[in-house]
C-alpha cells in the first residue's frame, strides 16, 4: 500500500532506484516461470510475473484476516493458479495510450485534467494554478467552475465509484448464472482500469484527502462493490466462502490494478483478454 500511495513522492533518483529493484523482482519471477511455460512468449510470462507479485501485494489491502499459515497457504495457492493459466497471446509491441479529446465544457476539462495530475503527482503536490495552466486558464479562473481543488477530487472519485456500480449492474442484468456474472464483472473492471488507470490510482491512493462525508461515501461504495464480487464467487463456487472468498477477490482486484498501471503491459495488444483469462483462473 505504501508503494501504491507514496512512490510518486520519491525524489527522481530514489524512485529510479526503487523501480530498478521492482524490475529485478519481476524479472526473477519471469525467469522462474519460463522453463515451465514454454507455451508462452516472454511478454506473456512477464505479465504472469506481475500478476503473481500482485497476489502477494494484495495482502496490504485485505480487511479480513485468517491465521497466518492459512493466509499464506491461500495466497500461495492463488499465485500458483496464476502461473497455471491456460496459454494466451500477448503481442510484445505496444500501442501508446490515445490522447483524449478535450471536452467542450471547461468544468469537464478541469475534472479530467485534475484526475491525471493528482494520479501522477499526488493530490497534495498539485495546485489550482497547475490545473488551470494545463487547461489553459489562470488559477483564479478555475474557481469560476468549481468551488475548490477538493471538489475536483471528490467528483472524480464519485464518478469512479458510479462507473464501477454501473458495470456491476450490467453484469448482473446480462447473466444467467453467478459464474457468468462474475466473469463479466471481471471483464468490466479490466476495461475500466485499462481506460481509466489514473482514476484507479486516485481510488487507491488519494481517498484520504476527501472530506469525512465524501470519504464515508467512497469507502461504502468500494465495500459494497467488493462484497458483490465475493457474493458471486461464493455462489459460483460453494467451497469458497467468507474470508477466503474475500481474499481471493482482493487478489483479483489487485492483479488488475497493478498490471493496468504498468504502461507497456496495458498497451500490449491482447492485454485485456490475457488478464481476463487470469481472473477466470482464480475466480472459477
Amino acid at each position: 500500500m505504501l508503494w501504491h500511495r507514496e512512490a510518486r513522492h520519491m525524489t527522481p533518483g530514489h524512485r529510479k532506484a526503487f523501480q530498478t529493484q521492482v524490475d529485478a523482482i519481476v524479472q526473477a519471477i519471469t525467469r522462474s516461470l519460463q522453463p515451465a511455460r514454454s507455451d508462452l512468449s516472454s511478454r506473456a510470462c512477464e505479465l504472469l510475473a506481475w500478476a503473481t507479485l500482485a497476489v502477494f501485494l494484495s495482502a496490504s489491502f485485505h480487511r479480513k484476516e485468517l491465521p497466518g499459515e492459512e493466509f499464506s497457504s491461500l495466497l500461495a495457492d492463488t499465485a500458483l493458479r496464476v502461473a497455471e493459466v491456460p496459454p494466451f497471446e500477448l503481442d510484445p509491441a505496444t500501442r501508446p495510450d490515445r490522447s483524449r479529446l478535450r471536452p467542450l465544457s471547461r468544468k469537464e476539462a478541469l475534472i479530467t485534467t485534475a484526475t491525471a495530475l493528482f494520479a501522477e503527482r499526488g493530490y497534495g503536490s498539485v495546485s489550482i494554478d497547475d490545473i488551470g495552466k494545463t487547461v489553459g486558464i489562470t488559477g483564479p479562473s478555475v474557481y469560476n467552475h468549481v468551488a475548490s481543488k477538493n471538489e475536483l477530487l471528490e467528483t472524480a472519485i464519485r464518478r469512479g465509484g458510479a462507473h464501477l456500480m454501473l458495470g456491476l449492474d450490467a453484469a448482473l442484468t446480462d447473466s444467467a448464472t453467478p459464474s457468468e456474472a462474475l466473469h463479466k464483472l471481471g471483464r468490466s473492471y479490466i476495461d475500466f482500469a485499462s481506460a481509466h488507470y489514473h482514476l484507479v490510482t486516485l481510488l487507491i491512493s488519494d481517498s484520504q484527502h476527501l472530506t469525512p462525508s465524501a470519504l464515508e461515501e467512497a469507502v461504502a461504495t468500494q465495500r459494497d462493490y467488493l462484497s458483490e464480487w465475493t457474493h458471486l464467487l461464493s455462489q459460483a463456487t460453494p467451497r469458497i466462502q467468507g474470508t477466503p472468498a474475500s481474499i481471493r477477490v482482493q487478489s483479483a482486484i489487485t492483479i488488475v490494478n497493478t498490471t493496468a498501471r504498468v504502461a507497456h503491459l496495458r498497451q500490449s495488444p491482447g492485454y485485456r483478454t490475457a488478464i481476463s483469462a487470469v481472473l477466470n483462473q482464480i475466480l472459477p
Side-chain angles (χ1 to χ4, degrees), residues 143-155:
Y143 295 112
N144 293 329
H145 307 280
V146 295
S148 65
K149 185 176 78 166
N150 194 263
E151 181 185 336
L152 292 168
L153 177 65
E154 182 177 325
T155 300

Side-chain angles (χ1 to χ4, degrees), residues 43-120:
R43 176 59 61 86
C45 282
E46 183 193 358
L47 177 69
L48 291 189
W50 274 104
T52 301
L53 180 60
V55 170
F56 297 107
L57 293 176
S58 71
S60 293
F61 299 93
H62 294 303
R63 290 189 174 90
K64 297 182 179 180
E65 296 183 1
L66 291 171
E69 185 174 341
E70 187 177 352
F71 188 40
S72 298
S73 178
L74 180 56
L75 290 181
D77 176 71
T78 304
L80 288 172
R81 285 177 176 271
V82 169
E84 295 169 354
V85 67
F88 59 89
E89 298 291 333
L90 194 64
D91 195 322
T94 59
R95 298 172 182 169
D97 299 314
R98 293 179 179 178
S99 298
R100 61 170 293 142
L101 298 176
R102 179 169 291 179
L104 175 64
S105 164
R106 187 56 58 79
K107 182 175 182 178
E108 288 300 313
L110 289 169
I111 293 168
T112 56
T113 297
T115 299
L117 291 176
F118 293 158
E120 290 167 1

Side-chain angles (χ1 to χ4, degrees), residues 6-267:
E6 307 299 340
R8 299 169 296 175
H9 303 299
M10 289 179 169
T11 63
H14 286 159
R15 189 170 183 177
K16 183 177 180 180
F18 173 71
Q19 189 61 53
T20 298
Q21 289 181 306
V22 173
D23 290 343
I25 293 170
V26 172
Q27 290 167 12
I29 300 173
T30 302
R31 289 194 299 270
S32 296
L33 285 169
Q34 285 175 322
R37 295 309 309 260
S38 58
D39 54 343
L40 296 178
S41 67
S42 59
R43 176 59 61 86
C45 282
E46 183 193 358
L47 177 69
L48 291 189
W50 274 104
T52 301
L53 180 60
V55 170
F56 297 107
L57 293 176
S58 71
S60 293
F61 299 93
H62 294 303
R63 290 189 174 90
K64 297 182 179 180
E65 296 183 1
L66 291 171
E69 185 174 341
E70 187 177 352
F71 188 40
S72 298
S73 178
L74 180 56
L75 290 181
D77 176 71
T78 304
L80 288 172
R81 285 177 176 271
V82 169
E84 295 169 354
V85 67
F88 59 89
E89 298 291 333
L90 194 64
D91 195 322
T94 59
R95 298 172 182 169
D97 299 314
R98 293 179 179 178
S99 298
R100 61 170 293 142
L101 298 176
R102 179 169 291 179
L104 175 64
S105 164
R106 187 56 58 79
K107 182 175 182 178
E108 288 300 313
L110 289 169
I111 293 168
T112 56
T113 297
T115 299
L117 291 176
F118 293 158
E120 290 167 1
R121 305 180 194 175
Y123 176 80
S125 300
V126 177
S127 68
I128 282 290
D129 286 338
D130 294 330
I131 298 168
K133 181 179 179 180
T134 305
V135 172
I137 62 177
T138 62
S141 297
V142 172
Y143 295 112
N144 293 329
H145 307 280
V146 295
S148 65
K149 185 176 78 166
N150 194 263
E151 181 185 336
L152 292 168
L153 177 65
E154 182 177 325
T155 300
I157 289 181
R158 182 179 288 116
R159 286 185 178 183
H163 193 119
L164 296 182
M165 299 309 286
L166 285 172
L168 167 66
D169 182 70
L172 295 175
T173 300
D174 297 336
S175 301
T177 66
S179 180
E180 182 183 2
L182 185 62
H183 292 167
K184 287 183 178 179
L185 183 56
R187 187 58 189 249
S188 78
Y189 189 70
I190 293 167
D191 290 343
F192 167 76
S194 301
H196 303 285
Y197 51 92
H198 287 317
L199 192 47
V200 169
T201 298
L202 292 196
L203 291 169
I204 294 171
S205 305
D206 289 299
S207 295
Q208 70 270 24
H209 297 293
L210 295 170
T211 61
S213 60
L215 177 59
E216 183 179 358
E217 178 186 344
V219 169
T221 298
Q222 292 181 46
R223 183 179 61 244
D224 290 345
Y225 183 67
L226 289 174
S227 294
E228 293 290 348
W229 279 68
T230 303
H231 177 64
L232 287 172
L233 176 58
S234 297
Q235 285 186 306
T237 312
R239 62 182 174 80
I240 306 176
Q241 300 287 324
T243 298
S246 297
I247 290 173
R248 188 74 67 86
V249 164
Q250 186 61 66
S251 294
I253 294 289
T254 307
I255 286 172
V256 178
N257 290 347
T258 300
T259 57
R261 296 165 75 200
V262 178
H264 69 272
L265 295 180
R266 181 183 69 246
Q267 296 167 353

